Amino acid sequence: MTFLKSFKALKYPSVFVFVLLVCFLFYLSTKPVQNMENSWLGKNQYRLEREELGKVLKNASMPNRTVILTTLNEAWADPGSVIDLFLESFRIGEGTPRLLNHLVIVAMDQQAFNRCKSIHPHCYSLTTAGVNFSAEKRFMTPDYLKLMWRRIDFLRTVLELGYNFVFTDADIMWFRDPFPYFDSLDEFQIACDFYKGNPRDKGNRANGGFNYVKAVEASIKFYKYWYMARIIHPNLHDQAVFEIIKHEPIVDASGLRIKYLDTMNFGGFCQPSKDMNKVCTMHANCCVGIEKKIHDLGLILDDWKNFTSLPPEQKKAIGPSSPWRAPSKCKKW
C-alpha cells in the first residue's frame, strides 16, 4: 500500500529524471553500444568494417590524428551535383586545397562509393543492412531520420578509433582553413543556424552539419548518450535532440566543453556571414531540395571567385556587408 501511494505521488519530472538515469547508465556501459552497432550489420561484418575504416582514416589523417569527414549518397554524387561544388570550394579557397588530402568521403551507398573512387583518394563505404540511403532524403522523413542517426553512430566510432574530426555536410562551401578559428581547449565545437553573439550561450541554435570534435573520453561518452537519447525522442532528428540534451545536467557533469561557432566565420543561408574577409564556410541550411541547393551554392561559389579576383585593397575596403546573392531559390524553402 505504501508503495502504491509513493508511486501515485510521483510527478512527471521524477519519471523524466528516472528515464535520464537509465540513459546515463546505458551510455556509461559498452555493451549496449556494441548491440546497437551489431543491429546495423552483423558482428563479424562490423569488425571487418571497423578495421577498414581504421586504414582509411590513417591514410587521410593529419599528424595530430585529425581528419575531415563528409557523407555522400547517390542523390548528391552525380556529376555537377553537390559533391562537385563541395570539392571545388576546397580548390579555390584560401589555405583549403591542402585539406583535401585529409578529407574522407563516407559513401552511404554503392553508387556514391563508385563516384567517390573516381574523383577522390580517400573513400569509405558505410554499410547499413536493410536500408537504402541512395535517394534524396527529404527532411524529417523516416529514411532521413535513419540517415542522421546512422551518422551519429558512425562518428562515435571514429572517436573511439582515436581520431579527432571535422564533420562537414557536403552542402557546405569551404573558403578558408577553419582550424585557426577553433579553440584548442574545447572538445566539441559546433556551427549554428542562428548565433546570438556568445560562444558559450546555450541559446545559440546549433547545426550538426559542421562540427569539430576531439577524441577524448568526454566526447565519446557524449556521442553515446546523444545516440541513446533518440530512444526517448523517437520522432526527432539528431540536431533537435542535441538542442534538448545540451541543457541536461548529465552533459554539464561530463565536463565536455561545448563552443558555438560564430556565423561571421561559419555562416549559412539561415544567417549568412557578412564579411568575406572573415568567412570560412557557408552552408546551404534553411533550404530543402537539391535543385535549390545546387543553384544557390553555385551563386555562392561565383561570388567568392569575384571576391578573390579583387586587388587586396578592394577586398579590405568591402568590410562587413551583405556580399552574397544567395539565398535566392532557397528563400522559399
PDB file of all heavy atoms in Angstrom, residues 235-253:
ATOM      1  N   ASN A 235      10.907  10.564 -32.664  1.00  0.00           N
ATOM      2  CA  ASN A 235      10.483  11.224 -33.897  1.00  0.00           C
ATOM      3  C   ASN A 235      11.273  12.491 -34.196  1.00  0.00           C
ATOM      4  O   ASN A 235      10.858  13.309 -35.017  1.00  0.00           O
ATOM      5  CB  ASN A 235       8.986  11.548 -33.833  1.00  0.00           C
ATOM      6  CG  ASN A 235       8.139  10.301 -33.719  1.00  0.00           C
ATOM      7  OD1 ASN A 235       8.388   9.313 -34.408  1.00  0.00           O
ATOM      8  ND2 ASN A 235       7.158  10.321 -32.822  1.00  0.00           N
ATOM      9  N   LEU A 236      12.419  12.649 -33.532  1.00  0.00           N
ATOM     10  CA  LEU A 236      13.260  13.829 -33.736  1.00  0.00           C
ATOM     11  C   LEU A 236      14.566  13.441 -34.401  1.00  0.00           C
ATOM     12  O   LEU A 236      15.069  12.329 -34.225  1.00  0.00           O
ATOM     13  CB  LEU A 236      13.544  14.519 -32.402  1.00  0.00           C
ATOM     14  CG  LEU A 236      12.343  15.074 -31.632  1.00  0.00           C
ATOM     15  CD1 LEU A 236      12.806  15.741 -30.347  1.00  0.00           C
ATOM     16  CD2 LEU A 236      11.542  16.050 -32.487  1.00  0.00           C
ATOM     17  N   HIS A 237      15.147  14.373 -35.145  1.00  0.00           N
ATOM     18  CA  HIS A 237      16.452  14.125 -35.743  1.00  0.00           C
ATOM     19  C   HIS A 237      17.554  14.498 -34.756  1.00  0.00           C
ATOM     20  O   HIS A 237      17.303  15.047 -33.675  1.00  0.00           O
ATOM     21  CB  HIS A 237      16.602  14.861 -37.077  1.00  0.00           C
ATOM     22  CG  HIS A 237      16.430  16.344 -36.996  1.00  0.00           C
ATOM     23  ND1 HIS A 237      17.432  17.194 -36.604  1.00  0.00           N
ATOM     24  CD2 HIS A 237      15.361  17.133 -37.255  1.00  0.00           C
ATOM     25  CE1 HIS A 237      17.001  18.437 -36.629  1.00  0.00           C
ATOM     26  NE2 HIS A 237      15.743  18.428 -37.019  1.00  0.00           N
ATOM     27  N   ASP A 238      18.779  14.195 -35.118  1.00  0.00           N
ATOM     28  CA  ASP A 238      19.907  14.356 -34.196  1.00  0.00           C
ATOM     29  C   ASP A 238      20.075  15.791 -33.719  1.00  0.00           C
ATOM     30  O   ASP A 238      20.398  16.052 -32.554  1.00  0.00           O
ATOM     31  CB  ASP A 238      21.195  13.859 -34.856  1.00  0.00           C
ATOM     32  CG  ASP A 238      21.537  14.618 -36.136  1.00  0.00           C
ATOM     33  OD1 ASP A 238      20.652  14.765 -37.001  1.00  0.00           O
ATOM     34  OD2 ASP A 238      22.676  15.077 -36.273  1.00  0.00           O
ATOM     35  N   GLN A 239      19.860  16.747 -34.602  1.00  0.00           N
ATOM     36  CA  GLN A 239      20.060  18.151 -34.253  1.00  0.00           C
ATOM     37  C   GLN A 239      19.033  18.609 -33.218  1.00  0.00           C
ATOM     38  O   GLN A 239      19.374  19.322 -32.261  1.00  0.00           O
ATOM     39  CB  GLN A 239      19.968  19.017 -35.508  1.00  0.00           C
ATOM     40  CG  GLN A 239      20.367  20.467 -35.335  1.00  0.00           C
ATOM     41  CD  GLN A 239      20.487  21.167 -36.675  1.00  0.00           C
ATOM     42  OE1 GLN A 239      21.253  20.744 -37.545  1.00  0.00           O
ATOM     43  NE2 GLN A 239      19.719  22.219 -36.873  1.00  0.00           N
ATOM     44  N   ALA A 240      17.789  18.185 -33.393  1.00  0.00           N
ATOM     45  CA  ALA A 240      16.742  18.549 -32.443  1.00  0.00           C
ATOM     46  C   ALA A 240      17.001  17.916 -31.080  1.00  0.00           C
ATOM     47  O   ALA A 240      16.775  18.543 -30.037  1.00  0.00           O
ATOM     48  CB  ALA A 240      15.372  18.121 -32.975  1.00  0.00           C
ATOM     49  N   VAL A 241      17.484  16.687 -31.077  1.00  0.00           N
ATOM     50  CA  VAL A 241      17.796  16.018 -29.817  1.00  0.00           C
ATOM     51  C   VAL A 241      18.981  16.706 -29.132  1.00  0.00           C
ATOM     52  O   VAL A 241      18.998  16.864 -27.907  1.00  0.00           O
ATOM     53  CB  VAL A 241      18.074  14.524 -30.053  1.00  0.00           C
ATOM     54  CG1 VAL A 241      18.596  13.857 -28.780  1.00  0.00           C
ATOM     55  CG2 VAL A 241      16.804  13.819 -30.523  1.00  0.00           C
ATOM     56  N   PHE A 242      19.956  17.134 -29.920  1.00  0.00           N
ATOM     57  CA  PHE A 242      21.084  17.884 -29.340  1.00  0.00           C
ATOM     58  C   PHE A 242      20.584  19.131 -28.620  1.00  0.00           C
ATOM     59  O   PHE A 242      21.065  19.465 -27.528  1.00  0.00           O
ATOM     60  CB  PHE A 242      22.075  18.275 -30.434  1.00  0.00           C
ATOM     61  CG  PHE A 242      23.207  19.156 -29.942  1.00  0.00           C
ATOM     62  CD1 PHE A 242      24.333  18.607 -29.364  1.00  0.00           C
ATOM     63  CD2 PHE A 242      23.122  20.543 -30.043  1.00  0.00           C
ATOM     64  CE1 PHE A 242      25.363  19.412 -28.891  1.00  0.00           C
ATOM     65  CE2 PHE A 242      24.138  21.359 -29.580  1.00  0.00           C
ATOM     66  CZ  PHE A 242      25.266  20.787 -29.001  1.00  0.00           C
ATOM     67  N   GLU A 243      19.632  19.832 -29.224  1.00  0.00           N
ATOM     68  CA  GLU A 243      19.096  21.047 -28.616  1.00  0.00           C
ATOM     69  C   GLU A 243      18.443  20.762 -27.264  1.00  0.00           C
ATOM     70  O   GLU A 243      18.396  21.632 -26.395  1.00  0.00           O
ATOM     71  CB  GLU A 243      18.083  21.708 -29.556  1.00  0.00           C
ATOM     72  CG  GLU A 243      18.706  22.375 -30.765  1.00  0.00           C
ATOM     73  CD  GLU A 243      19.620  23.527 -30.396  1.00  0.00           C
ATOM     74  OE1 GLU A 243      19.259  24.331 -29.529  1.00  0.00           O
ATOM     75  OE2 GLU A 243      20.717  23.607 -30.970  1.00  0.00           O
ATOM     76  N   ILE A 244      17.960  19.542 -27.088  1.00  0.00           N
ATOM     77  CA  ILE A 244      17.352  19.159 -25.807  1.00  0.00           C
ATOM     78  C   ILE A 244      18.420  18.762 -24.791  1.00  0.00           C
ATOM     79  O   ILE A 244      18.466  19.277 -23.675  1.00  0.00           O
ATOM     80  CB  ILE A 244      16.354  17.994 -26.014  1.00  0.00           C
ATOM     81  CG1 ILE A 244      15.185  18.446 -26.890  1.00  0.00           C
ATOM     82  CG2 ILE A 244      15.854  17.463 -24.669  1.00  0.00           C
ATOM     83  CD1 ILE A 244      14.269  17.312 -27.324  1.00  0.00           C
ATOM     84  N   ILE A 245      19.296  17.848 -25.184  1.00  0.00           N
ATOM     85  CA  ILE A 245      20.225  17.275 -24.199  1.00  0.00           C
ATOM     86  C   ILE A 245      21.342  18.225 -23.800  1.00  0.00           C
ATOM     87  O   ILE A 245      21.955  18.044 -22.746  1.00  0.00           O
ATOM     88  CB  ILE A 245      20.822  15.937 -24.701  1.00  0.00           C
ATOM     89  CG1 ILE A 245      21.730  16.153 -25.929  1.00  0.00           C
ATOM     90  CG2 ILE A 245      19.721  14.942 -25.004  1.00  0.00           C
ATOM     91  CD1 ILE A 245      22.455  14.882 -26.370  1.00  0.00           C
ATOM     92  N   LYS A 246      21.612  19.264 -24.599  1.00  0.00           N
ATOM     93  CA  LYS A 246      22.686  20.194 -24.227  1.00  0.00           C
ATOM     94  C   LYS A 246      22.360  20.937 -22.933  1.00  0.00           C
ATOM     95  O   LYS A 246      23.261  21.478 -22.291  1.00  0.00           O
ATOM     96  CB  LYS A 246      22.954  21.177 -25.361  1.00  0.00           C
ATOM     97  CG  LYS A 246      21.866  22.222 -25.582  1.00  0.00           C
ATOM     98  CD  LYS A 246      22.197  23.144 -26.753  1.00  0.00           C
ATOM     99  CE  LYS A 246      21.167  24.244 -26.929  1.00  0.00           C
ATOM    100  NZ  LYS A 246      21.466  25.107 -28.097  1.00  0.00           N
ATOM    101  N   HIS A 247      21.092  20.959 -22.547  1.00  0.00           N
ATOM    102  CA  HIS A 247      20.676  21.630 -21.321  1.00  0.00           C
ATOM    103  C   HIS A 247      20.676  20.692 -20.114  1.00  0.00           C
ATOM    104  O   HIS A 247      20.454  21.146 -18.992  1.00  0.00           O
ATOM    105  CB  HIS A 247      19.269  22.208 -21.493  1.00  0.00           C
ATOM    106  CG  HIS A 247      19.168  23.273 -22.536  1.00  0.00           C
ATOM    107  ND1 HIS A 247      19.630  24.562 -22.348  1.00  0.00           N
ATOM    108  CD2 HIS A 247      18.653  23.243 -23.799  1.00  0.00           C
ATOM    109  CE1 HIS A 247      19.404  25.281 -23.435  1.00  0.00           C
ATOM    110  NE2 HIS A 247      18.815  24.503 -24.335  1.00  0.00           N
ATOM    111  N   GLU A 248      20.899  19.409 -20.323  1.00  0.00           N
ATOM    112  CA  GLU A 248      20.737  18.449 -19.247  1.00  0.00           C
ATOM    113  C   GLU A 248      21.944  18.440 -18.304  1.00  0.00           C
ATOM    114  O   GLU A 248      23.090  18.562 -18.744  1.00  0.00           O
ATOM    115  CB  GLU A 248      20.501  17.049 -19.824  1.00  0.00           C
ATOM    116  CG  GLU A 248      19.169  16.949 -20.554  1.00  0.00           C
ATOM    117  CD  GLU A 248      18.960  15.615 -21.239  1.00  0.00           C
ATOM    118  OE1 GLU A 248      19.859  14.750 -21.132  1.00  0.00           O
ATOM    119  OE2 GLU A 248      17.907  15.428 -21.868  1.00  0.00           O
ATOM    120  N   PRO A 249      21.707  18.270 -17.000  1.00  0.00           N
ATOM    121  CA  PRO A 249      22.805  18.244 -16.016  1.00  0.00           C
ATOM    122  C   PRO A 249      23.843  17.170 -16.300  1.00  0.00           C
ATOM    123  O   PRO A 249      25.016  17.352 -16.001  1.00  0.00           O
ATOM    124  CB  PRO A 249      22.062  17.967 -14.694  1.00  0.00           C
ATOM    125  CG  PRO A 249      20.676  18.455 -14.926  1.00  0.00           C
ATOM    126  CD  PRO A 249      20.378  18.184 -16.370  1.00  0.00           C
ATOM    127  N   ILE A 250      23.400  16.046 -16.887  1.00  0.00           N
ATOM    128  CA  ILE A 250      24.331  14.964 -17.208  1.00  0.00           C
ATOM    129  C   ILE A 250      25.436  15.455 -18.136  1.00  0.00           C
ATOM    130  O   ILE A 250      26.609  15.105 -17.983  1.00  0.00           O
ATOM    131  CB  ILE A 250      23.581  13.779 -17.847  1.00  0.00           C
ATOM    132  CG1 ILE A 250      22.735  13.060 -16.795  1.00  0.00           C
ATOM    133  CG2 ILE A 250      24.530  12.801 -18.512  1.00  0.00           C
ATOM    134  CD1 ILE A 250      21.850  11.975 -17.351  1.00  0.00           C
ATOM    135  N   VAL A 251      25.065  16.259 -19.124  1.00  0.00           N
ATOM    136  CA  VAL A 251      26.049  16.767 -20.080  1.00  0.00           C
ATOM    137  C   VAL A 251      27.002  17.746 -19.383  1.00  0.00           C
ATOM    138  O   VAL A 251      28.214  17.705 -19.599  1.00  0.00           O
ATOM    139  CB  VAL A 251      25.351  17.428 -21.280  1.00  0.00           C
ATOM    140  CG1 VAL A 251      26.365  18.071 -22.209  1.00  0.00           C
ATOM    141  CG2 VAL A 251      24.518  16.397 -22.041  1.00  0.00           C
ATOM    142  N   ASP A 252      26.466  18.603 -18.539  1.00  0.00           N
ATOM    143  CA  ASP A 252      27.322  19.519 -17.786  1.00  0.00           C
ATOM    144  C   ASP A 252      28.287  18.755 -16.886  1.00  0.00           C
ATOM    145  O   ASP A 252      29.473  19.086 -16.777  1.00  0.00           O
ATOM    146  CB  ASP A 252      26.464  20.470 -16.936  1.00  0.00           C
ATOM    147  CG  ASP A 252      25.748  21.514 -17.776  1.00  0.00           C
ATOM    148  OD1 ASP A 252      26.238  21.816 -18.887  1.00  0.00           O
ATOM    149  OD2 ASP A 252      24.707  22.017 -17.331  1.00  0.00           O
ATOM    150  N   ALA A 253      27.771  17.712 -16.242  1.00  0.00           N
ATOM    151  CA  ALA A 253      28.597  16.933 -15.317  1.00  0.00           C
ATOM    152  C   ALA A 253      29.698  16.152 -16.021  1.00  0.00           C
ATOM    153  O   ALA A 253      30.706  15.791 -15.398  1.00  0.00           O
ATOM    154  CB  ALA A 253      27.707  15.982 -14.521  1.00  0.00           C
TER     155      ALA A 253
END
